[in-house]
Amino acid sequence: MTRPVRADINLQALRYNLSVARDKAAGSQVMAVVKADAYGHGLVPVAQALDEADAFAVVSLEEAVQLRDAGIRQDILLLEGVFSGQELSDSIDYDLQLVVHCEEQLRWLEALPGDRRRVVWVKVDTGMHRLGFEPQLAREVWQRIKRLSAAGRGGELRWMSHFCCADDPAHPATDEQLARFIDLTGADGAPRSMANSAALLTRADANFDWVRPGIMLYGASPMLPGTTGADVELRAVMSLRSRLIAVHRRRKGDMLGYGQSWKCPQDMPVGVVAIGYGDGYPRHAPSGTPVLVNGTQVPLAGRVSMDMICVDLRNAPQARVGDDVVLWGSGLSAEAVAEHAGTISYELFCGVTPRVPRIYTITD
Ligand SMILES: Cc1ncc(COP(=O)(O)O)c(C=O)c1O
């Protein structure tokens, strides 16, 4: 490791956050959402640390195979199902559960020869209007898959849906979606799943048999901007860290970086940190975005470059080359940085690039 950039991943915090999900959804099984390389935290180490999860959810066969190859034995669900008929039989070889959300997937299932059983989650569009069958169609879909089971080719059937606005507790869509889901699925006693992190934390009535937390496991708040993970008892898992690689005394009126977008208002110290959009630090983070230098909050100054940023060190005049910098994580919430950058913590985490080594620790 030459450049001082790294993402420390605290596996103890991850496990703690899973225990929060378990406590909040007592009585439900927990399917940990580890797609997108576990939201940038590292798929296999995260799944191995979450050995107490009841199942995992991913979005591609490749992710699922990585988990199986690493010895993960829990159930694994392909959240978007398969993308071709060919993938179906591979998914069964790897003992994966499938979402079926559209007619094409249903036909692939019907065309698959053999009698290997599988768990199929019928996805219902209760209001997100992204994936899933409309509630009026969903019963017919259910019956078609049930007929396959009767012919020895189907598997266990389950219901699922996804919330569009659970991050806003005042939003009426959540009640509407819930009512549609209960209306459709209430009678048959089949396992059901609907809750993402936001619903899990705020809507006990949406937990059903399986909850599907993602972002809360990584310690960030799933709620609207303004709350952090710590506000909802979660612990940050990823700390994106680097160091100061230069400290300069600039003169009043000096302009910093590309586009000369920031002007020094006085003679002042300016630090250069080894982090940039090549590492996944958001290029659109504006001047003023908080950065921690030796535990002191200082503002980003000027444009984010590929490998560097400048910081205004007037609050930290003793700062020296080699000093620790936290971009988000320990002492500085990803949510606060995301809010400045006009994005969400999910995108910050997923955006950390492969050149940033993930360093796993099991400390508190
Ligand atoms: C279908 C589905 N379920 C659950 C989740 C987890 O959501 P969150 O990370 O907000 O908990 C996602 C994430 O996008 C999802 O697509």
Side-chain angles (χ1 to χ4, degrees), residues 33 35 39 79 123 130 160 162 196-197 212-215 346:
V33 179
K35 62 184 176 151
Y39 292 40
L79 277 176
K123 182 149 188 178
R130 195 174 59 175
M160 74 176 282
H162 193 50
N196 54 5
S197 300
R212 306 191 307 270
I215 194 70
Y346 298 65

Side-chain angles (χ1 to χ4, degrees), residues 249-253 264-269 314:
R249 191 85 206 155
R250 296 293 178 204
R251 290 201 188 80
K252 181 175 177 182
C264 295
Q266 62 188 107
D267 291 359
M268 57 180 281
R314 283 176 293 173

Side-chain angles (χ1 to χ4, degrees), residues 40-320:
H41 292 68
L43 176 62
V44 168
V46 161
Q48 284 170 335
L50 293 177
D51 55 349
E52 295 192 354
D54 300 298
F56 293 103
V58 294
V59 287
S60 70
L61 185 63
E62 289 80 358
E63 290 173 325
V65 169
Q66 250 186 286
L67 291 179
R68 285 286 180 250
D69 287 350
I72 299 294
R73 298 272 60 92
Q74 283 103 321
D75 288 331
I76 300 175
L77 173 63
L78 294 177
L79 277 176
E80 295 170 9
V82 289
F83 302 97
S84 71
Q86 260 173 342
E87 255 190 43
L88 244 188
S89 79
D90 292 341
S91 72
I92 295 164
D93 288 344
Y94 283 97
D95 191 21
L96 308 180
Q97 301 186 356
L98 302 172
V99 161
V100 170
H101 63 74
C102 65
E103 177 63 29
E104 288 75 8
Q105 290 179 328
L106 193 50
R107 290 211 204 109
W108 297 333
L109 201 59
E110 288 172 333
L112 188 76
D115 61 356
R116 289 173 298 173
R117 293 182 65 76
R118 63 203 70 96
V119 171
V120 176
W121 293 81
V122 175
K123 182 149 188 178
V124 187
D125 177 10
T126 51
M128 174 86 159
H129 295 155
R130 195 174 59 175
L131 292 183
F133 296 98
E134 294 201 359
Q136 311 84 279
L137 270 181
R139 274 263 151 229
E140 189 192 316
V141 169
W142 187 269
Q143 290 310 327
R144 276 170 69 183
I145 303 176
K146 225 171 167 182
R147 280 200 287 280
L148 287 181
S149 306
R153 302 199 293 114
E156 188 193 325
L157 272 162
R158 301 180 179 177
W159 290 115
M160 74 176 282
S161 190
H162 193 50
F163 286 115
C164 53
C165 302
D167 57 338
D168 176 1
H171 204 294
T174 302
D175 278 334
E176 291 161 12
Q177 285 191 272
L178 208 44
R180 281 185 206 116
F181 192 63
I182 290 169
D183 188 41
L184 175 72
T185 63
D188 56 26
R192 294 182 282 181
S193 175
M194 204 164 174
N196 54 5
S197 300
L200 191 158
L201 289 170
T202 56
R203 297 291 302 237
D205 54 344
N207 287 340
F208 300 111
D209 305 283
W210 285 86
V211 288
R212 306 191 307 270
I215 194 70
M216 68 175 289
L217 299 176
Y218 309 104
S221 169
M223 308 313 290
L224 287 178
T227 53
T228 65
D231 297 334
V232 286
E233 294 172 47
L234 301 170
R235 297 187 191 157
V237 174
M238 179 193 289
S239 291
L240 183 64
R241 294 177 183 274
S242 189
R243 291 186 185 279
L244 283 177
I245 58 167
V247 176
H248 300 286
R249 191 85 206 155
R250 296 293 178 204
R251 290 201 188 80
K252 181 175 177 182
D254 281 351
M255 310 291 289
L256 300 186
Y258 285 120
Q260 296 197 320
S261 68
W262 201 83
K263 189 177 188 175
C264 295
Q266 62 188 107
D267 291 359
M268 57 180 281
V270 171
V272 181
V273 183
I275 193 84
Y277 61 80
D279 305 297
Y281 191 82
R283 183 179 178 278
H284 42 278
S287 294
T289 302
V291 172
L292 279 189
V293 172
N294 273 336
T296 300
Q297 198 163 305
V298 301
L300 173 70
R303 276 196 204 152
V304 174
S305 310
M306 186 183 291
D307 313 303
M308 285 171 273
I309 58 172
C310 291
V311 287
D312 168 353
L313 288 177
R314 283 176 293 173
N315 281 346
Q318 299 85 356
R320 295 287 171 267

